[in-house]
Amino acid sequence: MLEHVTGRWGSLVLAALEDGPIRFNDLRRRVDGVSQKVLAQTLQALERDGFVCRNQRTVFPLWVEYTLTPSGKDVSAKLLDLITYVEASMDTVLAARQRYDSPAPAENGARARE
Amino acid sequence: MLEHVTGRWGSLVLAALEDGPIRFNDLRRRVDGVSQKVLAQTLQALERDGFVCRNQRTVFPLWVEYTLTPSGKDVSAKLLDLITYVEASMDTVLAARQRYDSPAPAENGARARE
DNA sequence: CAGCATCCTTATCGATACTG
DNA sequence: CAGTATCGATAAGGATGCTG
């Protein structure tokens, strides 16, 4: 169940829902890269868990909009906090990766723990 | 890169590292269900991203311990906030699932519970 | 102890086509 | 528009055996 919210798509969908009600295809465009199949699955899982609310219009023109439930908002806020932090750390992370990927550093006086 | 920290194993590993330095096999026991292969992969990804620090003892008895870096601590804290909230919502979520999974409510007049 | 290499089984995802 | 159904590719994950 944690994976529903922390997983790749779950977190992006919850984040995208932050800005209010949104319809399926708009959401799909917003969450760039998600296929409609996966988006449907993700939304169903989140709805089942009570984090998003599905609101269907049954007369023409018909559409479905999704919103966050109260607990969905809580989760989404915490998620966004995390995502924002991680995005802000991008540069640092990329630098860390280069250090990690580059050839072994020269030996100076410092040693690993003994 | 976000998936490294939000993914199933990444988040659990970061959360497990909250309590301070821990060795590989202890970590493996702590993060219940992770295989050693996946744990090694996860740790490498997190180390590469600069969220965890690997500290290897090169003399006998040899072991490796992992700790959170400063940014790792930040991420871990935010993650733990989320995990704690989600865990606390378990009951609510399970109830929501039962509602979702139960047979469709009658369509005219008689409504399920609303 | 920590971790790599290999094989093999699943789960996940994308593309496509079709329905209410 | 908002999905469902099916198929095939591919990536993730487990089991086992081996190494510094």
Side-chain angles (χ1 to χ4, degrees):
Chain A
M1 144 186 170
L2 188 59
E3 287 98 88
H4 289 168
V5 319
T6 62
R8 178 176 183 192
W9 301 120
S11 55
L12 293 179
V13 166
L14 287 171
L17 285 169
E18 270 282 315
D19 298 339
I22 186 170
R23 283 162 55 185
F24 187 86
N25 280 319
D26 291 337
L27 190 54
R28 191 179 163 195
R29 278 181 283 273
R30 176 83 83 89
V31 181
D32 194 60
V34 72
S35 70
Q36 124 249 61
K37 171 186 169 183
V38 170
L39 180 56
Q41 285 174 353
T42 304
L43 285 167
Q44 277 166 22
L46 292 174
E47 188 198 357
R48 192 169 99 102
D49 288 353
F51 294 125
V52 310
C53 183
R54 182 177 185 274
N55 220 316
Q56 180 173 353
R57 182 184 156 106
T58 53
V59 296
F60 195 85
L62 14 70
W63 43 257
V64 180
E65 74 176 15
Y66 291 90
T67 57
L68 292 172
T69 63
S71 58
K73 279 181 187 151
D74 289 342
V75 168
S76 172
K78 292 176 188 309
L79 222 32
L80 221 53
D81 187 32
L82 177 65
I83 292 173
T84 304
Y85 180 88
V86 171
E87 278 179 354
S89 314
M90 270 287 278
D91 294 353
T92 314
V93 167
L94 292 177
R97 285 191 184 170
Q98 295 201 333
R99 241 174 290 125
Y100 186 93
D101 293 337
S102 64
E107 290 265 339
N108 53 9
R111 287 179 296 174
R113 179 197 292 248
E114 291 170 9
Chain B
M1 144 187 169
L2 188 60
E3 287 96 271
H4 289 167
V5 320
T6 62
R8 178 174 182 191
W9 300 121
S11 55
L12 292 178
V13 166
L14 286 172
L17 285 169
E18 268 282 315
D19 298 339
I22 185 170
R23 284 161 54 185
F24 188 86
N25 280 319
D26 291 336
L27 189 53
R28 190 179 164 195
R29 277 181 284 273
R30 176 83 84 89
V31 180
D32 195 58
V34 72
S35 70
Q36 125 258 51
K37 171 187 170 184
V38 170
L39 181 56
Q41 286 174 352
T42 303
L43 285 167
Q44 278 165 22
L46 292 175
E47 188 198 357
R48 192 168 99 100
D49 288 351
F51 294 125
V52 311
C53 184
R54 182 177 185 274
N55 221 316
Q56 178 172 357
R57 181 181 156 110
T58 53
V59 297
F60 194 84
L62 14 71
W63 42 258
V64 180
E65 74 177 14
Y66 292 90
T67 57
L68 291 173
T69 63
S71 59
K73 277 180 188 153
D74 289 342
V75 169
S76 171
K78 292 176 189 308
L79 222 31
L80 221 54
D81 187 32
L82 177 65
I83 292 173
T84 304
Y85 180 87
V86 171
E87 277 179 354
S89 314
M90 271 287 278
D91 293 352
T92 313
V93 168
L94 292 178
R97 284 191 184 170
Q98 295 201 333
R99 242 173 291 125
Y100 187 92
D101 294 337
S102 63
E107 39 202 66
N108 32 355
R111 265 162 257 165
R113 195 193 63 90
E114 287 110 301

